Amino acid sequence: MPKAIERVALQAQALALRTALALPQPVRRAIAGPPIRIDGGELALDAQLLLKLQHLSGNRNLSAPTVEIARAAMLQSTHLLPHAPVSGVSVGERRVPGATGELAARLYRPHQLTEPGELLVFYHGGGFVIGDLDSHDDVCRFLAKHAGVRVLAVEYRLAPESRFPAAFDDALAAYRYAVDNAAALGSSPGAIAVGGDSAGGNLAAVVAYHAARSGLPKPSLQLLLYPAVDATKRRRSRELFGEGFLLTDRDMDWFMDHYAPDVGERGDHRLSVLLADDLTGLPPAYVVTAGFDPLRDEGRAYAERLAEAGVPVIDRCFDDLIHGFANMRPAGGRFGEAMFEIAGTLRAALALRV
């Protein structure tokens, strides 16, 4: 009975959210409240409305009293937004080798793609503690279809069961697998990109860095969606947006305390790639940040350092959006616009190899 009650409550929340998103703009503004302006930017109405509804529902943090509760909450959140699976994409379940055992993976292939081409190895976000293939299924389907690229999404061991550098080790093993099995995946060793969001963006960046330094074939591109790239420093954006914009200051501490509880390890370039002495020779990068995100400034700093090192960089900040906006795409509106832009830019960047 309790589970049945939980399902009904979840369905009611989903219905309320979908109803609110479909209301006329003046009504949505009345619910969301006056525009929020910070640091020269104005929060998109769609983002403000989602945050207001999240606040009213009592779901205010990505962290939780226990890891199990946080993971369940993230999974539930994927069912709250309007949802219809992206059409025109074939999805196959796979098992790929990790550092210490097999990892779950999915290969997404857009139906229009029949010839060998680019492959994007994608790592999901979730602070190295939460998230999985299901939480980022929509993101991967959308990128596959609208960027015209095969996507190999891979899971990795999560903390606190497996702490730093376990996630990095698995991410690198998955990339090696993709390189070694490129033909079977519909690609070639020189046409494999890496990408991810938040913690997954971190893994994509450190895999790209390690590949460039270890003799592995370099990724053709690194797609970094609001990446975490420095676990040692509190930047201004964390002070400005550390409360009330989905990813909170408390969440960030909670995630890092689970993944890398030894503070002395947090400057390791396998976690804080922004601190690496030399970034020359890395693959071209498409770095996406959000204006109302505590991670904004470190993402922008990484894009700047890459450019200074002579790495071709597309540096795009969506000034009016929040952390995690890629997962909010099913809500449409500003989230959908941003993801269509990202997919279009990714398609062009892969075609040109920047």
Side-chain angles (χ1 to χ4, degrees):
M1 184 63 71
K3 290 194 174 183
I5 294 174
E6 287 179 10
R7 284 197 298 271
V8 171
L10 184 62
Q11 291 169 357
Q13 287 184 47
L15 178 60
L17 179 56
R18 293 164 190 170
T19 301
L21 291 170
L23 292 170
Q25 191 272 347
V27 180
R28 287 185 287 127
R29 169 55 70 194
I31 296 172
I36 295 176
R37 299 184 179 94
I38 300 175
D39 200 31
E42 180 176 321
L43 185 62
L45 173 57
D46 295 323
Q48 188 176 341
L49 179 61
L50 277 183
L51 291 171
K52 181 61 174 288
L53 294 172
Q54 177 197 37
H55 179 83
L56 292 174
S57 70
N59 300 321
R60 302 181 185 180
N61 297 299
L62 295 174
S63 56
T66 69
V67 167
E68 292 72 23
I69 292 173
R71 290 173 181 167
M74 185 168 192
L75 183 60
Q76 283 187 347
S77 69
T78 64
H79 301 295
L80 291 177
L81 293 173
H83 185 71
V86 176
S87 62
V89 178
S90 298
V91 183
E93 303 289 337
R94 297 210 167 212
R95 305 291 297 182
V96 305
T100 61
E102 286 192 331
L103 307 172
R106 284 179 189 159
L107 181 64
Y108 298 81
R109 182 185 65 80
H111 291 172
Q112 74 268 24
L113 197 61
T114 57
E115 299 297 323
E118 296 280 346
L119 173 73
L120 174 67
V121 180
F122 188 89
Y123 309 105
H124 68 78
F128 307 104
V129 177
I130 62 178
D132 56 22
L133 296 179
D134 290 334
S135 65
H136 285 67
D137 182 71
D138 179 81
V139 174
C140 292
R141 288 174 184 268
F142 187 86
L143 290 176
K145 178 174 182 177
H146 295 287
V149 61
R150 291 175 177 84
V151 177
L152 179 67
V154 294
E155 289 194 350
Y156 47 88
R157 286 171 293 162
L158 298 176
E161 297 89 343
S162 301
R163 290 176 167 151
F164 173 80
F168 163 75
D169 291 340
D170 283 347
L172 183 63
Y175 176 70
R176 272 204 194 97
Y177 165 84
V179 170
D180 293 341
N181 297 272
L185 295 169
S187 186
S188 65
I192 298 177
V194 291
D197 67 306
S198 195
N202 171 283
L203 294 175
V206 296
V207 165
Y209 177 85
H210 185 85
R213 295 291 179 268
S214 66
L216 278 171
K218 289 193 302 186
S220 58
L221 180 78
Q222 41 184 329
L223 169 66
L224 311 179
L225 303 179
Y226 31 85
V229 289
D230 183 2
T232 68
K233 183 177 179 180
R234 298 178 64 90
R235 288 175 168 78
R236 182 167 174 268
S237 59
R238 182 162 174 175
E239 302 299 335
L240 289 173
F241 308 111
E243 186 61 43
F245 298 98
L246 185 70
L247 177 64
T248 68
D249 184 69
R250 174 184 170 186
D251 294 336
M252 294 174 72
D253 285 340
W254 188 83
F255 287 134
M256 198 49 56
D257 287 345
H258 280 88
Y259 182 53
D262 183 347
V263 175
E265 293 183 325
R266 295 182 184 181
D268 190 305
H269 65 74
R270 292 171 295 174
L271 180 58
S272 296
V273 66
L274 178 59
L275 304 185
D277 292 333
D278 181 12
L279 298 179
T280 59
L282 267 62
Y286 179 19
V287 183
V288 175
T289 51
F292 286 74
D293 182 354
L295 292 178
R296 181 195 67 186
D297 288 356
E298 62 190 80
R300 300 299 302 273
Y302 192 57
E304 290 172 6
R305 279 212 60 206
L306 288 171
E308 290 168 358
V311 177
V313 177
I314 301 170
D315 179 8
R316 174 66 165 107
C317 182
F318 290 89
D319 293 325
D320 57 347
L321 290 179
I322 59 176
H323 188 84
F325 70 78
N327 290 85
M328 302 169 194
R329 183 211 64 84
R334 186 69 184 110
F335 306 117
E337 293 171 0
M339 285 302 292
F340 272 111
E341 179 184 325
I342 288 169
T345 303
L346 177 61
R347 178 190 287 268
L350 290 172
L352 297 174
R353 301 287 177 87
V354 186

